[in-house]
């Protein structure tokens, strides 16, 4: 893919900033069959996330790296998010998640040591976000088929971060205002 093509593609996903009110609203459930425009948006969002995790392209295009995007970040208040996680071998572990429900979770809590990030938050944020180390989520795929997935570690954090977006909750809302590193010693860092 050429840089020109990439720049054209990136125009297709306009990621909203936390200042936008749409990011603080609850998204509504999606019905099937999925609208073509949502399918296209999912494809564009994947393109963005994959590119953003390519060190060279990321620098060339001045992208912020990210592994998850919720539809509300693209201005669409629908309960859809995608995860694209780059593995060490260069392959991607990806999930398209529609109308998710949390089924169960581990009591063990973890947090991202360097701090959680969000493509809609363009500033440094101090503090830790407690997340369940493992969760089981039920959701629908793009064809409307129901499935359940048990996810752990980084992917578990990503799912919880994105599920929060569907309820209008930002990761910054989950950081204790008075004590941003509260109970740090009771959790495991990843
Ligand atoms: Zn986010």
């Amino acid at each position: 893919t050429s840089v020109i093509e990439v720049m054209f593609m990136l125009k297709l996903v306009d990621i909203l900033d936390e200042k936008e009110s749409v990011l603080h609203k609850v998204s509504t459930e999606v019905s099937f069959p999925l609208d073509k425009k949502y399918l296209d948006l999912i494809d564009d969002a994947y393109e963005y996330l994959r590119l953003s995790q390519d060190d060279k392209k990321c620098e060339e295009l001045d992208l912020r790296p990210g592994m998850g995007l919720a539809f509300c970040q693209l201005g669409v208040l629908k309960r859809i998010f995608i995860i694209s996680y780059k593995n060490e071998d260069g392959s991607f572990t990806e999930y398209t998640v529609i109308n998710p429900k949390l089924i169960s979770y581990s009591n063990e809590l973890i947090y991202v040591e360097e701090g959680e990030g969000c493509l809609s938050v363009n500033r440094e944020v101090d503090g830790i976000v407690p997340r369940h180390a493992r969760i089981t989520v039920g959701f629908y795929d793009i064809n409307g088929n129901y499935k359940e997935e048990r996810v752990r570690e980084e992917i578990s954090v990503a799912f919880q971060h994105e599920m929060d977006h569907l309820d209008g909750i930002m990761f910054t809302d989950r950081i204790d205002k008075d004590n941003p590193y509260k109970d740090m010693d009771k959790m495991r860092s990843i």
Side-chain angles (χ1 to χ4, degrees):
T1 320
S2 76
V3 171
I4 301 289
E5 280 173 308
V6 166
M7 291 181 81
F8 176 72
M9 227 146 56
L10 293 177
K11 279 196 178 149
L12 299 177
V13 281
D14 202 1
I15 301 169
L16 300 179
D17 186 84
E18 60 179 325
K19 289 193 277 288
E20 304 285 339
S21 64
V22 70
L23 279 166
H24 306 277
K25 289 180 178 155
V26 177
S27 295
T28 58
E29 296 231 318
V30 182
S31 53
F32 292 95
L34 214 56
D35 208 313
K36 168 85 165 67
K37 65 175 187 274
Y38 296 156
L39 289 169
D40 291 344
L41 203 50
I42 288 168
D43 286 344
D44 294 341
Y46 270 125
E47 286 291 348
Y48 181 93
L49 293 185
R50 289 175 199 142
L51 278 171
S52 81
Q53 293 177 88
D54 177 323
D55 292 343
K56 212 170 136 232
K57 289 266 166 45
C58 190
E59 204 185 306
E60 244 170 45
L61 298 161
D62 194 25
L63 302 181
R64 294 190 54 223
M67 60 176 285
L69 257 179
F71 260 37
C72 65
Q73 294 176 277
L74 307 172
V76 180
L77 282 169
K78 289 288 173 187
R79 300 185 82 80
I80 304 176
F81 68 78
I82 65 161
I83 305 265
S84 180
Y85 177 77
K86 195 172 188 178
N87 300 301
E88 275 178 25
D89 66 2
S91 66
F92 289 94
T93 298
E94 299 185 321
Y95 300 88
T96 304
V97 179
I98 304 174
N99 299 342
K101 293 269 187 298
L102 184 63
I103 292 171
S104 65
Y105 55 85
S106 68
N107 287 323
E108 188 193 5
L109 296 174
I110 54 176
Y111 64 91
V112 180
E113 190 158 18
E114 71 258 31
E116 232 170 85
C118 179
L119 289 170
S120 295
V121 178
N122 297 295
R123 60 189 168 99
E124 285 300 316
V125 178
D126 287 331
I128 56 167
V129 185
R131 301 289 191 187
H132 302 292
R134 295 164 297 283
I135 57 170
T136 300
V137 181
F139 60 92
Y140 293 86
D141 67 13
I142 55 168
N143 299 311
N145 298 314
Y146 180 76
K147 46 162 77 180
E148 290 182 4
E149 291 272 0
R150 179 89 167 151
V151 291
R152 53 196 76 239
E153 303 297 303
E154 285 91 347
I155 307 277
S156 175
V157 171
F159 263 71
Q160 290 167 80
H161 177 114
E162 300 307 328
M163 283 168 80
D164 273 352
H165 273 307
L166 305 185
D167 291 325
I169 299 166
M170 303 292 293
F171 82 90
T172 49
D173 298 330
R174 295 218 179 261
I175 297 172
D176 191 284
K177 299 263 179 303
D178 301 319
N179 184 1
Y181 295 93
K182 191 179 166 191
D183 295 335
M184 195 177 176
D185 53 335
K186 295 184 186 118
M187 298 171 230
R188 178 165 57 84
S189 69
I190 63 165

